[in-house]
Amino acid sequence: MLLEKMRPRKLNCVIIVLVTYLLSQNAHSELQVGFYSYSCGMAEFIVKDEVTKSYNRNPGIAAGLVRMHFHDCFIRGCDASVLLDSTPSNTAEKDSPANKPSLRGFEVIDNAKARLEQVCKGIVSCADIIAFAARDSVELAQGLGYDVPAGRRDGRISLASDTRTDLPPPTFNVNQLTQLFAKKGLTQEEMVTLSGAHTIGRSHCSAFSNRLYNFSATSRQDPSLDPSYASFLKRQCPQGNTNQNLVVPMDPSSPGIIDAGYYNDILANRALFTSDQTLLTNTETASLVNQNARDPYQWASKLADAMVKMGQIGVLTGNAGEIRTNCRVVNS
């Protein structure tokens, strides 16, 4: 008899736990893999086709599109605010010093959007196009592919001033990086994992020249920088240089391939940015650097997972935001 009386209570407990779980999953369930399967079945294919065509002309575009996704998601969430052009009354994110002239790949997004508007007018968001393009870039650069949950909508606000507080500069130390990523809902391990995307791409001299010529009051050159690598960088980036076209590869040994070379560079004191080399100054992050260097496949798998999680930061879904007709301007 006592057991009979307890059953409804147990059932109620199960229901409460289930409802709580479902509510906690709601933020992630708003985005869905295959979101455009019925409304625009060719969406992901069209984006990949445009990314592939651009990659075949210039393999460096892969790094640009991955970085664009990162810079979009860290400011106001993954809402394609990074694509909006400045107006006479507002300087947009893309024209901030953090993004100009280093951010690239806008024409790839424009081309994909133009094709999608022809076949599925008003259906595919610019924010989803960026997410798809980043995934395709990872694949083309020999990283692991992954499914992209979609359903993002586009934001209407883009402020250059946001880049000063929400994007990590190359001078950040490990504690500053950890705190900034935590604000975005990302763990320290995910920070180290995502930092590995620096295995592809290039950097302008201005992003690291302080390590060569003006590091501190007691040392002109960063003492943690391998001397031979520092000499190489000085030849590439002479002191006082103002040429914005001068760039160096982030990972000289394999600048176009997503591999563990980035972590090996850190261990050899040949990381380009302070924000990269700093990962050795903390016991936990140094351990992760060593793990990723030893097991490149595991890191590639973690990168795919971290890209999916990053792509869900602050997304607009449902009736929030809009689906832009032109990724560069808000709808009139």
Side-chain angles (χ1 to χ4, degrees):
M1 193 67 158
L2 182 60
L3 290 174
E4 290 295 325
K5 291 181 179 179
M6 290 178 61
R7 282 175 186 166
R9 293 180 184 175
K10 288 185 176 180
L11 182 60
N12 288 339
C13 289
V14 171
I15 291 173
I16 290 170
V17 170
L18 181 59
V19 169
T20 302
Y21 172 78
L22 291 174
L23 287 173
S24 71
Q25 296 299 305
N26 188 51
H28 296 292
S29 64
E30 290 172 340
L31 300 182
Q32 299 175 6
V33 173
F35 182 82
Y36 296 107
S37 296
Y38 298 104
S39 59
C40 188
M42 294 289 285
E44 295 190 45
F45 172 82
I46 288 172
V47 174
K48 187 166 190 174
D49 185 54
E50 287 300 326
V51 174
T52 302
K53 287 192 296 186
S54 183
Y55 178 84
N56 289 338
R57 292 191 296 269
N58 174 20
I61 202 66
L65 291 169
V66 171
R67 185 165 180 257
M68 180 187 290
H69 189 34
F70 177 89
H71 281 220
D72 181 41
C73 290
F74 265 56
I75 297 179
R76 296 182 179 274
C78 311
D79 67 346
S81 57
V82 74
L83 301 178
L84 288 171
D85 285 342
S86 296
T87 66
S89 61
N90 177 64
T91 303
E93 294 168 33
K94 63 165 56 171
D95 289 322
S96 71
N99 287 330
K100 188 177 182 179
S102 59
L103 208 60
R104 54 192 174 136
F106 296 108
E107 72 287 348
V108 181
I109 307 299
D110 289 338
N111 293 340
K113 180 61 173 175
R115 284 180 60 184
L116 287 165
E117 285 298 296
Q118 289 179 342
V119 297
C120 311
K121 188 173 179 60
I123 298 296
V124 183
S125 70
C126 301
D128 278 342
I129 295 174
I130 296 176
F132 293 147
R135 182 267 314 275
D136 298 335
S137 297
V138 169
E139 285 191 36
L140 287 166
Q142 301 182 35
L144 291 182
Y146 52 92
D147 291 329
V148 175
R152 300 166 188 80
R153 289 171 65 85
D154 302 321
R156 300 184 179 96
I157 300 172
S158 182
L159 304 174
S161 57
D162 286 340
T163 64
R164 292 197 292 269
T165 55
D166 286 333
L167 289 179
T171 55
F172 259 17
N173 63 39
V174 69
N175 291 331
Q176 292 169 313
L177 289 170
T178 300
Q179 291 167 13
L180 180 58
F181 275 69
K183 280 174 56 181
K184 307 300 177 182
L186 297 167
T187 66
Q188 187 177 68
E189 180 173 6
E190 288 163 341
M191 178 270 288
V192 176
T193 298
L194 288 166
S195 295
H198 281 171
T199 187
I200 57 173
R202 60 194 188 184
S203 170
H204 289 78
C205 298
S206 58
F208 58 86
S209 59
N210 69 301
R211 299 186 72 198
L212 304 176
Y213 305 112
N214 189 33
F215 184 68
S216 70
T218 57
S219 177
R220 292 187 65 193
Q221 182 175 301
D222 185 346
S224 72
L225 195 59
D226 174 70
S228 62
Y229 186 49
S231 297
F232 164 77
L233 293 176
K234 287 179 177 179
R235 291 194 297 272
Q236 302 301 308
C237 301
Q239 187 171 14
N241 152 67
T242 58
N243 183 356
Q244 290 191 336
N245 293 321
L246 279 183
V247 293
V248 298
M250 298 290 295
D251 176 9
S253 62
S254 54
I257 300 174
I258 288 185
D259 59 17
Y262 165 84
Y263 298 103
N264 290 314
D265 287 339
I266 292 176
L267 293 173
N269 294 321
R270 294 166 67 90
L272 196 57
F273 296 157
T274 298
S275 57
D276 296 319
Q277 196 63 52
T278 190
L279 298 182
L280 282 190
T281 65
N282 172 283
T283 303
E284 289 78 13
T285 57
S287 175
L288 292 167
V289 168
N290 276 280
Q291 287 176 29
N292 294 338
R294 288 195 306 268
D295 194 339
Y297 184 84
Q298 183 189 44
W299 166 72
S301 179
K302 290 194 299 183
L303 178 65
D305 291 340
M307 289 289 287
V308 171
K309 183 174 177 180
M310 184 188 76
Q312 300 186 54
I313 296 174
V315 294
L316 301 173
T317 59
N319 294 321
E322 63 184 15
I323 305 295
R324 280 184 227 145
T325 301
N326 178 341
C327 291
R328 293 176 178 265
V329 296
V330 298
N331 294 342
S332 57

